[in-house]
Amino acid sequence: MMPHNSRTSPKVSTEAMFQADAAMIKFLRGNRSSSSYSRRDWFATLVLYPLLIGTYAIFLSGTHEGGRIVSAATGDIAYYWLWARTYLGECLRNGILPHWNPYMMSGTPYLASNQMAIFYPPNWTFAVGAPAFWLNTQIFVHWWAALAAMHWLARGFGQSPSAALIAALVFGFSGFAILHAWQGHLPFILEMPWTPLVLVAWLTYSKSADRSLRTRLTLVLGVAGCLAMQFLAGHPQIVYFSLIILAWFHFWYMIHQLTVGRKKRALGDLMLFGASLVFAALLAAVQALPTAKYAAETVRAHGAPLEYYTAQSMPLGNILTLIAPWVWGGRRFGISYIGMDSYWEVAGFVGATAVLLAGMMLTLPKSLNRFQWTCLGLVAFALLLAFGHYSGFYETLMKVFPGLGLFRNPGRFLYIATFALALLAGEGLDRLIEYARLRPSEFLLIVRRTAIAVAGGIGAFLILFGDNIRSPLFLQILVHRLTPQVFSTLSREDVTAMFKTFRENLIASGIMAGLSLGLISRLIWAKYEKVTRRIICVFLFFELIQFARPYAESFSVEGLRWPSRLVSIVRNAGSLYRIASAREPSDLTQGMVEKIRHVWGYEPTVSLRYAMAMSVAQGRPPSFPEAWLQAYRISPLMNALGTRYLIAPPDTGAGALGWHSVFKGSAYELFENPDALPRAFCVGKAETTSTQFLWSVLSSPDFAPQQKVILEEEAARTFDSQETTGTIGKVEVLRDDPELFTAKVKMEHDGWFVLMDQYLPGWEASVNGVEAKIYRANGVGRALPLQSGEHIVEMRYVTPGWRTGLFISSIAWICYALLAVVYWRVRKARIS
């Protein structure tokens, strides 16, 4: 059968061509700048994507059982978000907006922690239902929204329904999406749909030929609203990625406008684009201002080492994980990853089929249009950033590239690469179909060149690694990827297992690419074109789901809960004591649900002052804190913080550290520290020291927190009596709410009232109704000077920047609503 070439590309109506911007038409590629949703698009959006997600998440991970959450039991949902969202829901049910979280880090900001996402509307549902149900619902709905939004964006760029399906599958089932869902990075899942939606708003504006009020409102309302919602969803790093993507497309489109002599249009678009970003910041000010003020107290604002920011950079060898996810070992074959270089955060799987579709365009580079070059450039730029310190100049980029030095984990730039590769894969399918229809000779040339490249790649692999584990190249790769300590511990069996995985996965990817190429070659036959492109979509989904399947896990909420006996013992001691833990990270955060205070926590935005104090309390130098600090060593500072109980695995040997066992279960053992002080107490002596020598004083075995309070020199100068003596007074707690502490304190002599809750800006105090200055006590706590007699001491917390941010955001959202009304009226008038 001969190729059938009589078909022509679909035409766009004269009215659509008149309304579309000529520069954008040329930027995209001819008449492909206009496309409308068809029945196939609606079917994919409303039926196919929910079915795919439901099949993967429900039937494979057992979420049909009550109380189970789609995520790994060793991920962040189990460790953190389950308990944080449950606490938020309880506060909202009681009509409380939580400003302060007293149950971690001896007290830490809640509202100001951006990842708590108090102002993200979907999180308000936790006030009316079971947390497990709403967590699953959020994951499923936002996952579906990410697929649907990417499909919508691809169609807006002029791609066919089949190509849009390819783009959506790559974006929604990529290694980035699957692995972050598996690891329970809830904010990432919630924020993914907003990135393509931001581009949809930008594209809708850019494609329009006019710059009417309606068109401008499309850009302002769409971009500002989507970016604001993405920021409110909880993680500024994804917002940063969205801004890079948006700025990248807008920059190259603006360059294109300048090349065709449209300087005024380009300048006007740039100004409106900037105004949209400012408007987004104003909409999110209610969260952004408190977050910015608290960020000044955190570890990232005080000279974190370069190793902190470049942790989990993507090794150059991990470029192979784009086509073969388990090259260096992994869950699919039951082989653990060896070395941090193979960490799941730097595995950017998109599938051999997707890479093939995107890469086949490079066989005829002269025919690439500006949009395709823009996407290719974005992939290269994102991979360059993902390499992090392996690139050799990431430290320089951190200094010169705006905002890059604010975030860690360079491997997460795979999000941008995945986004651009998804669009390129769709572009590749459409371009191949076009060549098969109109230029069959060029299509056959592309297929031949790609077949030679695939065959050559497989052949080169067999030659280079034909000597199995004795292959010098494989050993060099292994040495490069692993530290000498890890490499020295590997047995021959370990290396053999790694090489087996390495070989099987790359050969399997080559075979997958060959099969995909065989399917693609059928596009030239008119009889098989429609069914072939649908099979390619199915083939890609099968390839992606094979990677996703081992990560389809769920966990039971009840399986993580502390036993009632343990909870009752700790609660009976009262709220003036805290616990420590030496078990799972969920023990660090579960106190938010059980109303039990922890001395440490699984908290992404810990203040530097408190983290350094805990390092000192654990016998470490007061340097940048470790990511997984084990805070349960008994010390004077730990006693001052009221650390009375320790939750640990059975037979953990905590008795050797001075703990006494009081309860033992199958999975838990509870220990008690008899020397722990209540977190509120009085002392008769104050000792001043400079900040420089503070940590050495607190780490000294002679430090007696029950006898004296350590003040910093700067604080003590404002108090006339720098040292008072006398017996310890009595404290009667009248109210111990998260943001309000009230106590009756009886002092027999002049002295100091000490509350060993973390002191941060926002806390204010009064004594007998008169405003009083809070001094920083023992490095992290709070202290007030009191004269002899009875006093009513009150400490109240209001998040810094909260009131200003609320005022700004309220005005901004009112303006947003008014502009939306104007938009719909103008749109209605135009339609009528």
Side-chain angles (χ1 to χ4, degrees):
M1 181 181 293
M2 294 298 293
H4 181 70
N5 303 321
S6 62
R7 291 166 294 174
T8 58
S9 57
K11 299 295 183 183
V12 182
S13 67
T14 304
E15 181 183 359
M17 287 294 291
F18 178 76
Q19 293 175 354
D21 178 66
M24 176 55 77
I25 291 175
K26 191 174 180 181
F27 178 73
L28 291 175
R29 175 157 51 108
N31 54 19
R32 289 186 58 230
S33 64
S34 179
S35 61
S36 59
Y37 247 46
S38 65
R39 285 181 295 177
R40 284 184 293 171
D41 296 308
W42 288 114
F43 176 79
T45 299
L46 301 178
V47 179
L48 181 59
Y49 295 147
L51 182 63
L52 295 179
I53 293 170
T55 301
Y56 168 71
I58 297 178
F59 294 102
L60 292 181
S61 56
T63 51
H64 56 281
E65 302 177 14
R68 299 191 69 84
I69 298 175
V70 181
S71 180
T74 55
D76 281 4
I77 290 180
Y79 291 167
Y80 191 66
W81 301 115
L82 168 62
W83 318 107
R85 293 291 189 263
T86 302
Y87 178 67
L88 175 61
E90 181 182 349
C91 291
L92 294 178
R93 280 195 300 273
N94 295 325
I96 299 172
L97 189 66
H99 287 254
W100 185 259
N101 177 10
Y103 304 110
M104 291 194 307
M105 303 290 182
S106 298
T108 188
Y110 192 97
L111 185 151
S113 178
N114 181 247
Q115 297 194 44
M116 293 302 180
I118 293 177
F119 302 107
Y120 189 57
N123 286 336
W124 303 341
T125 58
F126 286 94
V128 296
F133 171 80
W134 287 115
L135 281 169
N136 286 330
T137 301
Q138 281 193 355
I139 293 172
F140 296 159
V141 170
H142 284 80
W143 203 344
W144 162 78
L147 290 164
M150 195 64 183
H151 189 109
W152 189 8
L153 176 63
R155 293 290 281 138
F157 277 126
Q159 295 183 5
S160 67
S162 297
L165 179 60
I166 291 282
L169 290 176
V170 173
F171 183 63
F173 288 94
S174 64
F176 185 95
I178 291 296
L179 290 173
H180 281 278
W182 167 66
Q183 268 298 295
H185 283 188
L186 185 63
F188 286 13
I189 303 169
L190 302 187
E191 293 179 62
M192 282 188 68
W194 298 106
T195 300
L197 287 177
V198 169
L199 266 294
V200 166
W202 171 82
L203 183 61
T204 303
Y205 169 80
S206 300
K207 282 168 44 174
S208 178
D210 63 21
R211 289 299 185 261
S212 63
L213 176 62
R214 173 178 173 269
T215 307
R216 292 173 179 174
L217 287 177
T218 299
L219 179 70
V220 173
L221 294 176
V223 171
C226 290
L227 285 177
M229 293 301 291
Q230 191 174 47
F231 181 82
L232 295 176
H235 203 297
Q237 192 167 17
I238 302 297
V239 182
Y240 182 65
F241 295 159
S242 296
L243 289 173
I244 290 177
I245 295 171
L246 182 61
W248 185 272
F249 277 97
H250 188 76
F251 174 78
W252 289 110
Y253 174 58
M254 188 174 68
I255 294 297
H256 175 68
Q257 285 185 309
L258 294 175
T259 59
V260 296
R262 305 175 66 176
K263 296 181 180 179
K264 276 190 177 181
R265 176 66 64 86
L267 181 60
D269 289 350
L270 181 61
M271 294 177 63
L272 193 62
F273 179 73
S276 302
L277 301 185
V278 172
F279 194 24
L282 296 177
L283 291 172
V286 66
Q287 181 67 71
L289 279 182
T291 298
K293 287 184 176 294
Y294 176 49
E297 305 291 332
T298 62
V299 293
R300 302 189 189 192
H302 292 82
L306 181 64
E307 291 77 12
Y308 176 82
Y309 291 104
T310 58
Q312 294 154 19
S313 297
M314 174 181 165
L316 278 76
N318 266 41
I319 198 76
L320 294 173
T321 63
L322 293 174
I323 60 172
W326 303 291
V327 173
W328 307 109
R331 297 171 64 82
R332 178 67 176 84
F333 295 95
I335 302 169
S336 299
Y337 283 131
I338 299 179
M340 286 301 294
D341 286 351
S342 293
Y343 192 63
W344 59 268
E345 286 240 49
V346 293
F349 182 65
V350 294
T353 303
V355 173
L356 190 69
L357 287 171
M360 288 179 77
M361 294 190 298
L362 294 176
T363 58
L364 294 176
K366 292 183 179 180
S367 62
L368 292 178
N369 61 55
R370 299 193 182 208
F371 170 70
Q372 292 160 354
W373 276 117
T374 299
C375 290
L376 283 169
L378 186 58
V379 172
F381 179 64
L383 290 177
L384 179 67
L385 294 178
F387 291 146
H389 68 83
Y390 292 103
S391 68
F393 49 83
Y394 189 76
E395 183 177 0
T396 302
L397 282 176
M398 287 177 60
K399 297 177 181 178
V400 299
F401 192 79
L404 187 61
L406 298 176
F407 302 102
R408 59 192 297 261
N409 293 11
R412 291 179 181 172
F413 281 99
L414 288 169
Y415 177 79
I416 300 177
T418 299
F419 183 90
L421 275 170
L423 290 175
L424 278 176
E427 284 285 310
L429 179 63
D430 272 347
R431 186 180 184 208
L432 291 171
I433 292 173
E434 180 184 345
Y435 281 173
R437 288 175 176 175
L438 304 178
R439 290 179 278 180
S441 60
E442 290 189 9
F443 173 79
L444 293 175
L445 179 61
I446 291 173
V447 172
R448 289 193 203 101
R449 289 180 176 179
T450 306
I452 292 172
V454 171
I458 295 176
F461 173 82
L462 294 176
I463 294 172
L464 293 174
F465 300 99
D467 205 18
N468 294 329
I469 63 171
R470 293 183 297 275
S471 166
L473 182 57
F474 178 76
L475 292 177
Q476 284 297 317
I477 293 174
L478 209 59
V479 170
H480 172 71
R481 295 179 62 83
L482 305 178
T483 64
Q485 294 79 6
V486 173
F487 186 79
S488 64
T489 62
L490 295 180
S491 65
R492 183 180 179 84
E493 290 74 19
D494 294 329
V495 178
T496 301
M498 288 187 68
F499 181 81
K500 182 180 178 182
T501 302
F502 178 82
R503 178 181 59 194
E504 289 180 357
N505 276 273
L506 287 183
I507 292 178
S509 296
I511 294 173
M512 189 72 70
L515 292 174
S516 300
L517 191 60
L519 279 173
I520 291 169
S521 67
R522 297 297 90 193
L523 291 172
I524 201 169
W525 303 98
K527 183 178 180 180
Y528 302 113
E529 186 232 282
K530 288 185 179 179
V531 67
T532 297
R533 61 186 179 186
R534 291 171 185 173
I535 293 176
I536 291 173
C537 294
V538 174
F539 197 67
L540 174 63
F541 177 71
F542 175 78
E543 185 181 4
L544 293 172
I545 208 67
Q546 286 303 303
F547 164 69
R549 185 168 53 85
Y551 297 92
E553 295 186 36
S554 65
F555 68 90
S556 169
V557 177
E558 291 303 318
L560 298 177
R561 298 294 291 265
W562 292 333
S564 56
R565 173 62 177 160
L566 183 150
V567 172
S568 63
I569 293 175
V570 177
R571 281 182 178 170
N572 288 340
S575 65
L576 290 179
Y577 293 98
R578 293 192 172 91
I579 64 169
S581 60
R583 245 179 49 94
E584 296 293 334
S586 59
D587 294 329
L588 299 170
T589 53
Q590 194 172 156
M592 283 188 276
V593 175
E594 303 294 352
K595 301 298 181 290
I596 293 174
R597 301 169 189 262
H598 203 293
V599 76
W600 194 231
Y602 192 76
E603 167 60 49
T605 51
V606 58
S607 71
L608 178 66
R609 168 74 66 143
Y610 190 78
M612 293 178 68
M614 292 307 297
S615 294
V616 168
Q618 299 308 301
R620 294 174 170 83
S623 58
F624 190 81
E626 299 175 12
W628 295 91
L629 181 66
Q630 295 294 318
Y632 56 84
R633 175 179 175 268
I634 297 177
S635 67
L637 185 55
M638 291 285 280
N639 289 337
L641 290 166
T643 315
R644 184 170 179 176
Y645 293 104
L646 171 68
I647 301 174
D651 304 318
T652 193
L657 299 176
W659 296 95
H660 301 291
S661 179
V662 293
F663 166 72
K664 188 174 183 180
S666 58
Y668 298 84
E669 188 168 5
L670 185 66
F671 297 87
E672 186 174 10
N673 171 23
D675 297 325
L677 299 173
R679 41 182 263 269
F681 55 91
C682 297
V683 296
K685 182 179 180 181
E687 180 179 306
T688 62
T689 185
S690 65
T691 304
Q692 180 181 359
F693 297 104
L694 172 67
W695 306 118
S696 61
V697 174
L698 295 179
S699 61
S700 170
D702 298 329
F703 171 47
Q706 70 275 23
Q707 297 295 329
K708 62 182 178 181
V709 60
I710 304 299
L711 305 175
E712 293 173 58
E713 186 176 8
E714 292 78 3
R717 286 178 184 155
T718 62
F719 185 47
D720 293 336
S721 179
Q722 295 188 18
E723 181 176 302
T724 58
T725 58
T727 60
I728 297 176
K730 296 181 180 179
V731 178
E732 178 186 352
V733 178
L734 303 178
R735 189 169 179 177
D736 195 5
D737 296 337
E739 288 96 29
L740 178 62
F741 179 88
T742 307
K744 181 189 292 185
V745 182
K746 184 177 182 180
M747 301 290 294
E748 297 183 8
H749 299 279
D750 294 349
W752 291 84
F753 168 73
V754 178
L755 178 64
M756 286 303 292
D757 290 356
Q758 186 176 183
Y759 173 68
L760 284 169
W763 279 102
E764 298 176 351
S766 65
V767 177
N768 299 326
V770 179
E771 183 179 348
K773 176 180 172 55
I774 300 178
Y775 293 88
R776 196 183 294 275
N778 300 328
V780 292
R782 313 170 206 158
L784 292 172
L786 296 179
Q787 297 177 341
S788 62
E790 287 189 356
H791 306 276
I792 300 297
V793 174
E794 182 177 283
M795 294 187 184
R796 185 181 299 272
Y797 179 78
V798 176
T799 304
W802 146 251
R803 293 189 177 96
T804 303
L806 179 62
F807 175 77
I808 294 174
S809 288
S810 298
I811 299 299
W813 281 107
I814 291 173
C815 294
Y816 190 90
L818 294 175
L819 290 175
V821 171
V822 173
Y823 171 83
W824 286 112
R825 286 188 175 180
V826 173
R827 183 175 184 270
K828 186 176 179 180
R830 181 178 180 182
I831 294 175
S832 61

